[in-house]
Amino acid sequence: SQQGEEDPQALSIQEGENATMNCSYKTSINNLQWYRQNSGRGLVHLILIRSNEREKHSGRLRVTLDTSKKSSSLLITASRAADTASYFCATFSGSARQLTFGSGTQLTVLP
Amino acid sequence: DTEVTQTPKHLVMGMTNKKSLKCEQHMGHRAMYWYKQKAKKPPELMFVYSYEKLSINESVPSRFSPECPNSSLLNLHLHALQPEDSALYLCASSTGGWDEQFFGPGTRLTVL
């Protein structure tokens, strides 16, 4: 079953702009992960943030986690056309012992 | 080798056929997963093999049957599928803990 919702469902920006995607979830978690999926392909892991962390950076990616609000955001800075893809948040909870994906955001970066 | 491979890339089958999807990883991971993904939807977990123990999503119909011959290989046997089973089938592996999962490129299945 789907753990969370992502917002917006679709986002279209110009190359060079920043893109922000939000994820909300329902139950307590051990960690939250972000994945990217190019059209019809497998998912690629981007970043993992643990429940006791508040912010994490990896290259042009910045992830925040607010466990009190059960929400996370993914910021992609200086976007490129190659960033065009679907982005999914996924939560891992000890009770479920499985990774549960959010609904996804379709990002389009226009050259 | 940090790659998960899946074969075939595409599969078209009739409702009376029996076919199998294959997945392989050589990262020494002890957990392997099958997901089903419909268009514009997130992946949904079907099966998990973790340390050779199978966990099943109880909503998955019995026409899907997983098999884990060894810790590097994972098969999904398909029998008497329905057109609504057409989807992208993704295999993934992980260390078995709470860490990232590595996904294969998927098998695009069409049931006629």
Side-chain angles (χ1 to χ4, degrees):
Chain A
S1 62
Q2 202 167 298
Q3 159 75 300
E5 296 297 323
E6 290 185 55
D7 169 55
Q9 287 187 338
L11 178 62
S12 185
I13 59 173
Q14 295 292 136
E15 208 164 26
E17 294 180 337
N18 295 342
T20 300
M21 289 159 263
N22 302 297
C23 169
S24 61
Y25 56 91
K26 297 172 186 172
T27 63
S28 62
I29 61 171
N30 296 96
N31 66 56
L32 186 143
Q33 304 177 30
W34 286 90
Y35 288 81
R36 184 187 75 220
Q37 184 178 34
N38 291 86
S39 181
R41 306 293 303 275
L43 281 75
V44 175
H45 182 267
L46 296 176
I47 197 165
L48 180 154
I49 186 165
R50 303 189 193 282
S51 59
N52 60 353
E53 297 175 311
R54 291 296 167 258
E55 186 170 316
K56 204 160 183 180
H57 297 253
S58 176
R60 293 185 296 114
L61 306 180
R62 172 178 169 253
V63 169
T64 61
L65 179 65
D66 186 336
T67 52
S68 66
K69 295 181 179 177
K70 291 187 169 57
S71 67
S72 173
S73 67
L74 171 68
L75 169 67
I76 303 174
T77 59
S79 62
R80 306 165 182 168
D83 295 328
T84 294
S86 293
Y87 291 81
F88 293 95
C89 67
T91 54
F92 193 101
S93 67
S95 56
R97 298 198 65 78
Q98 68 181 47
L99 202 57
T100 307
F101 287 85
S103 52
T105 293
Q106 172 62 52
L107 173 67
T108 302
V109 181
L110 302 169
Chain B
D1 184 359
T2 59
E3 191 180 44
V4 176
T5 59
Q6 289 188 243
T7 55
K9 288 195 171 102
H10 302 274
L11 179 62
V12 179
M13 59 186 291
M15 290 190 286
T16 58
N17 293 155
K18 285 185 181 180
K19 297 285 185 184
S20 297
L21 309 184
K22 298 185 184 302
C23 175
E24 189 168 10
Q25 57 90 12
H26 294 287
M27 292 177 276
H29 288 168
R30 298 305 301 271
M32 296 185 75
Y33 313 81
W34 280 115
Y35 290 87
K36 175 183 176 181
Q37 186 180 26
K38 301 283 273 185
K40 300 190 186 301
K41 295 291 186 181
E44 294 184 357
L45 183 65
M46 300 175 72
F47 304 104
V48 180
Y49 269 97
S50 181
Y51 292 87
E52 294 155 19
K53 182 178 176 183
L54 173 64
S55 298
I56 298 173
N57 179 343
E58 293 184 359
S59 67
V60 176
S62 59
R63 55 187 183 267
F64 294 92
S65 174
E67 179 198 15
C68 193
N70 59 57
S71 59
S72 299
L73 292 172
L74 184 65
N75 299 322
L76 185 63
H77 301 299
L78 315 173
H79 175 55
L81 294 194
Q82 303 297 309
E84 61 263 29
D85 296 322
S86 298
L88 182 67
Y89 287 84
L90 294 162
C91 173
S93 71
S94 76
T95 58
W98 300 341
D99 293 331
E100 64 184 292
Q101 292 185 10
F102 292 79
F103 282 80
T107 293
R108 175 71 61 188
L109 174 67
T110 303
V111 182
L112 301 176

